[in-house]
Amino acid sequence: MSQEIKNVVLLGAGGTLGPSVLDALLDKFNVTVISRRDSKSEFPSQVKVVKTDYTEPSLIGILTGQDAVVSTLPSSALSIQSQVMDAAVKAGVKRFIPSEFGTDTTNKNSQTICPLFGPKAQAVEYLRTKANENPKVFSWTSIITGPLFDWCLRVGYTGFDLKSHTATIWDKGETVWSTSNLATIGRAVVGVLLHPEETKNRYVYVQSFNVSQNDVLAALEKASGARWRVNHVDSDEQIKIGNELMQKGDFNGAGLLIVAAVFNGKVDVGSDFTKIAKLDNDLLGLPKEDLQESVDVVVKGNQD
């Protein structure tokens, strides 16, 4: 079987990460976007968009002749991803990249803190099974990136409010975590598809840089020219609050648990990829990046 990847299908192209992955893919591959029939998302004119009801016959028809599937679907849509996995195997797709792109879901402490990571880990196990059953045809790669740095910073997801200049620091703010900008993740996807043999049937780890909340705070104060107000929170207490909210059906708790699986300074959650795996940045041709430069771009964009 030839490992060369030419034709790529993208799921979730209209979401948070999808546009950055799409932009990167368009430079190297023939890209088809799969979209729900009722989707209102718009895409560049050179993108082939195929609407589907996600039935197996429809998916097999779309995926036949495709070399790879990249999923950037949100966690809430992973049931759809499962359907596409089965169809991809039956259609003869060579490589499947599931919707991972975040915390290292192989870390047991991380899974315990945030059960929402379970389905992602299960998806990889399912892909592993299918690759073992079809070793001459089917393979997978899971890309671990850490939090989406620039997006998280813009929306306040990692504890920094750009408007009020307020920082919510977990524990002492010293936990080091790997994190990647959106464009870097797009480049990483391309790099995986350009190196199919080297990235076959394994987790790939990438980062723009590894930092602590204290590092980010210092960069924000420098970029904004202002002293920020700091509130400290305890990770154990935040996990307790997150679980209580989830038990009440309030999914704001999910956000707390996801962040807890990154910033927790009391147990090893595998946030710093440099300590748990060899980074694949060089293999994938990712450029060197600088925290201060990335923060400056976000802060300037927020002021415009």
Side-chain angles (χ1 to χ4, degrees), residues 156-168:
Y157 202 81
T158 44
F160 302 98
D161 188 320
L162 297 177
K163 291 184 178 180
S164 66
H165 290 176
T166 301
T168 301

Side-chain angles (χ1 to χ4, degrees), residues 279-290:
L279 290 174
D280 291 288
N281 285 42
D282 290 344
L283 170 65
L284 305 183
L286 302 183
K288 302 292 184 182
E289 295 179 78
D290 179 74

Side-chain angles (χ1 to χ4, degrees), residues 46-290:
Q46 67 268 41
V47 177
K48 180 182 179 181
V49 180
V50 180
K51 303 279 188 174
T52 181
D53 55 8
Y54 287 97
T55 60
E56 186 172 89
S58 171
L59 289 171
I60 291 175
I62 295 169
L63 297 177
T64 298
Q66 298 292 332
D67 298 312
V69 174
V70 178
S71 174
T72 59
L73 290 169
S75 296
S76 59
L78 290 186
S79 60
I80 291 175
Q81 178 177 266
S82 297
Q83 296 169 247
V84 181
M85 287 178 186
D86 286 330
V89 173
K90 293 178 180 179
V93 169
K94 300 174 184 176
R95 179 65 51 91
F96 200 107
I97 299 177
S99 183
E100 193 79 62
F101 306 111
T103 302
D104 181 12
T105 55
T106 68
N107 183 279
K108 299 304 180 185
N109 289 331
S110 178
Q111 288 188 34
T112 298
I113 291 170
C114 186
L116 292 173
F117 295 151
K120 289 193 172 187
Q122 291 163 14
V124 173
E125 286 307 307
Y126 186 73
L127 289 171
R128 196 189 305 271
T129 298
K130 291 300 178 182
N132 289 338
E133 292 173 352
N134 304 274
K136 294 183 179 180
V137 179
F138 187 72
S139 60
W140 60 275
T141 305
S142 183
I143 305 175
I144 307 296
T145 65
L148 317 182
F149 182 77
D150 45 356
W151 177 81
C152 286
L153 198 56
R154 283 197 298 269
V155 302
Y157 202 81
T158 44
F160 302 98
D161 188 320
L162 297 177
K163 291 184 178 180
S164 66
H165 290 176
T166 301
T168 301
I169 301 296
W170 287 58
D171 301 320
K172 296 180 180 180
E174 296 174 347
T175 299
V176 174
W177 35 286
S178 295
T179 182
S180 302
N181 288 314
L182 292 174
T184 300
I185 299 173
R187 295 186 191 105
V189 171
V190 170
V192 165
L193 297 178
L194 291 177
H195 297 84
E197 196 58 39
E198 299 95 322
T199 60
K200 182 179 180 180
N201 296 336
R202 72 176 180 93
Y203 284 88
V204 163
Y205 290 83
V206 301
Q207 65 175 34
S208 291
F209 28 71
N210 58 333
V211 296
S212 68
Q213 278 194 295
N214 290 340
D215 294 333
V216 178
L217 175 59
L220 282 166
E221 290 187 332
K222 182 177 180 180
S224 62
R227 186 76 174 174
W228 283 46
R229 185 168 69 253
V230 177
N231 300 316
H232 284 271
V233 296
D234 179 81
S235 56
D236 288 341
E237 183 64 24
Q238 293 303 297
I239 291 170
K240 180 182 177 182
I241 293 171
N243 283 323
E244 289 173 350
L245 289 172
M246 291 294 287
Q247 290 169 5
K248 296 175 182 178
D250 184 343
F251 281 87
N252 286 319
L256 282 178
L257 297 179
I258 291 170
V259 174
V262 177
F263 294 158
N264 195 308
K266 299 182 179 183
V267 297
D268 177 16
V269 289
S271 297
D272 184 358
F273 303 159
T274 64
K275 292 184 177 180
I276 60 176
K278 179 182 178 182
L279 290 174
D280 291 288
N281 285 42
D282 290 344
L283 170 65
L284 305 183
L286 302 183
K288 302 292 184 182
E289 295 179 78
D290 179 74

